[in-house]
Amino acid sequence: MLISYFDDYARDYEPYKAGAWCYEDGCLYRGLITLHEATGDPRWLDHLTRLVDAQLDADGGLADYRITEFNIDNIQPGHALLYLHRLTSQARYLDAARQLGLQLTHHPRIGTGPYWHKLRYPHQVWLDGLYMAMPFKIALGLKLDDQALVEEAIRQLTTALDLTFDKASGLYRHGYDESRLQDWADPDTGLSPAHWARSIGWLAMAFVDVIEHLPEGESRRDLSKRLASLNDRLAALVTSDHRWLQVIDAPDVKGNYPESSATAMFAYALQKSERLGIDRHGDLGRSALKALTDLELRPVEGRRPQLQNVCCVAGLGPFQGIYRDGSIAYYLTEAIRPDDIKGVAPLMMAEAERLLAEGTALNRQDETRRLLQPVNAV
């Protein structure tokens, strides 16, 4: 069921922002990459190539991308550029990825090093942004044989983890304001007040996607220890039906609900954590994946199934005439959008991990090397 659902979804997908280069489309690209890596099925690569090429010109220019916006979200789709360059050796993909690297060179930072979330969110670090930037920065550093880029990304990530960690709960807060100017920021800590599940989901995915690229050593051990602690907290907070709530640690608050994008993100990260040898919570991830398939992937009359209970968007500070204060009550007011890509893409990634764990996937050592050889270099 899931494979046909993903295939239909990718076939029917309309770019999230009218074709402009954006992280939402990048989420789909990441889902397609993981399915292609896990199965070798060319349909996933065909979808990926078709969608990415529609946003890329012959010289590597990205559709409606402006570096001066300094939007950290725009970095995340760069994974697709590196993947397609790896498979085809076409220079335009790497040229485009270098543009994103140039943004990271000049992107504004807080005093201790991590990037601002966006130019319009000055002095702020959000968990979302750690996923958007750090795995790509490390992958680009490895591609360009630039170890300094890799090491800087690790420093930025660990600094941001220290800043956003809430010791009392063992969780991470959605945002940190260095300036303490935002109304949502605690005047002492600079932290936002509640624990939004999807922000922690972005972080969990950042953890595993960074750790997989690191050799054995102090940095890998440190990040693995932090992730194992987070995974233990996730195991303690899972609902009786194997999902996680929109405000993850507030089960008694009226209106709180099991949120599908965060659940899918944790389903992916927990399984991948086990594959990377960090801990043994893979079964919890697989049970969450099954819960989403059984409870939230529902047929819609006259249409294909849709993934339900996906929070459309949430953030901090002013946006479209409202002030998002980061409170529990705020997160429970955000709109729910069925089949939003921020839920479907991590569901793809979680299923790819399940296939790997099951042993039915093709990407074992020799097959992986064969699949990832450059083909028809142009």
Side-chain angles (χ1 to χ4, degrees):
M1 176 183 180
L2 278 179
I3 294 300
S4 61
Y5 165 67
F6 294 148
D7 193 24
D8 291 344
Y9 187 96
R11 181 200 63 217
D12 299 340
Y13 184 77
E14 296 183 4
Y16 207 90
K17 293 176 178 171
W21 187 254
C22 65
Y23 85 90
E24 292 92 347
D25 295 347
C27 289
L28 176 58
Y29 302 162
R30 184 72 181 128
L32 294 170
I33 288 169
T34 59
L35 286 171
H36 184 245
E37 288 179 319
T39 67
D41 188 331
R43 78 176 95 177
W44 311 122
L45 182 59
D46 290 344
H47 286 311
L48 178 69
T49 303
R50 169 178 56 84
L51 292 165
V52 172
D53 282 357
Q55 296 184 318
L56 187 68
D57 65 28
D59 298 320
L62 299 167
D64 293 326
Y65 168 75
R66 290 181 290 278
I67 191 172
T68 53
E69 289 182 354
F70 291 110
N71 182 341
I72 207 70
D73 290 340
N74 288 335
I75 301 299
Q76 190 274 344
H79 289 288
L81 302 171
L82 295 178
Y83 192 72
L84 290 173
H85 182 264
R86 184 181 181 185
L87 293 180
T88 70
S89 296
Q90 291 185 33
R92 63 195 179 110
Y93 294 122
L94 187 57
D95 289 343
R98 287 180 186 274
Q99 292 182 61
L100 303 179
L102 183 63
Q103 177 183 326
L104 293 180
T105 299
H106 297 284
H107 198 99
R109 307 163 187 245
I110 66 170
T112 51
Y115 294 123
W116 290 8
H117 190 61
K118 299 178 184 179
L119 189 63
R120 63 190 177 95
Y121 297 127
H123 310 291
Q124 299 167 45
V125 176
W126 297 9
L127 297 184
D128 322 23
L130 302 181
Y131 175 72
M132 302 302 166
M134 293 306 120
F136 173 81
K137 185 170 182 173
I138 288 174
L140 182 65
L142 294 173
K143 178 71 174 180
L144 302 179
D145 196 24
D146 186 345
Q147 187 60 29
L149 206 61
V150 175
E151 292 172 357
E152 183 186 43
I154 295 168
R155 285 195 301 272
Q156 286 181 281
L157 177 57
T158 54
T159 299
L161 292 172
D162 289 341
L163 291 172
T164 56
F165 184 65
D166 173 48
K167 187 175 181 180
S169 66
L171 297 169
Y172 294 83
R173 297 287 174 84
H174 186 179
Y176 167 79
D177 176 18
E178 175 189 44
S179 69
R180 297 351 186 232
L181 293 175
Q182 291 298 315
D183 289 345
W184 54 256
D186 182 280
D188 295 322
T189 67
L191 294 175
S192 56
H195 295 112
W196 179 39
R198 187 159 80 213
S199 70
I200 301 171
W202 293 123
L203 178 61
M205 296 198 300
F207 265 122
V208 294
D209 288 357
V210 165
I211 290 170
E212 73 173 328
H213 290 303
L214 302 184
E216 291 299 329
E218 182 178 353
S219 294
R220 185 180 179 115
R221 286 192 297 272
D222 174 59
L223 291 175
S224 296
K225 182 179 178 180
R226 294 175 193 249
L227 177 55
S229 295
L230 175 60
N231 288 347
D232 287 343
R233 290 296 293 131
L234 296 177
L237 292 168
V238 70
T239 65
S240 60
D241 60 4
H242 309 289
R243 293 181 287 172
W244 285 271
L245 299 174
Q246 166 78 337
V247 181
I248 195 169
D249 57 344
D252 298 326
V253 172
K254 184 179 180 180
N256 206 359
Y257 64 95
E259 199 279 322
S260 293
S261 68
T263 297
M265 291 174 179
F266 296 140
Y268 165 72
L270 288 164
Q271 291 183 84
K272 190 167 181 177
S273 293
E274 183 172 83
R275 179 162 64 84
L276 295 174
I278 292 165
D279 56 22
R280 300 190 62 81
H281 287 303
D283 284 344
L284 179 58
R286 285 180 283 277
S287 67
L289 173 61
K290 186 176 188 304
L292 286 173
T293 305
D294 292 347
L295 300 174
E296 298 292 8
L297 194 60
R298 305 177 204 157
V300 177
E301 186 175 357
R303 302 173 63 185
R304 57 176 174 76
Q306 292 186 337
L307 182 67
Q308 304 298 317
N309 278 318
V310 181
C311 175
C312 182
V313 68
L316 297 165
F319 183 70
Q320 295 184 348
I322 67 169
Y323 190 86
R324 302 170 298 180
D325 65 6
S327 65
I328 292 175
Y330 155 68
Y331 288 117
L332 299 181
T333 66
E334 281 290 4
I336 293 171
R337 181 182 181 184
D339 247 14
D340 190 276
I341 189 56
K342 295 181 287 293
V344 177
L347 192 70
M348 291 177 170
M349 297 158 69
E351 173 65 4
E353 284 296 326
R354 187 194 67 80
L355 291 170
L356 291 172
E358 191 180 65
T360 61
L362 294 177
N363 81 330
R364 300 170 188 154
Q365 294 175 356
D366 292 340
E367 188 65 9
T368 299
R369 285 193 288 269
R370 183 186 69 79
L371 287 172
L372 297 181
Q373 288 297 313
V375 293
N376 299 326
V378 176

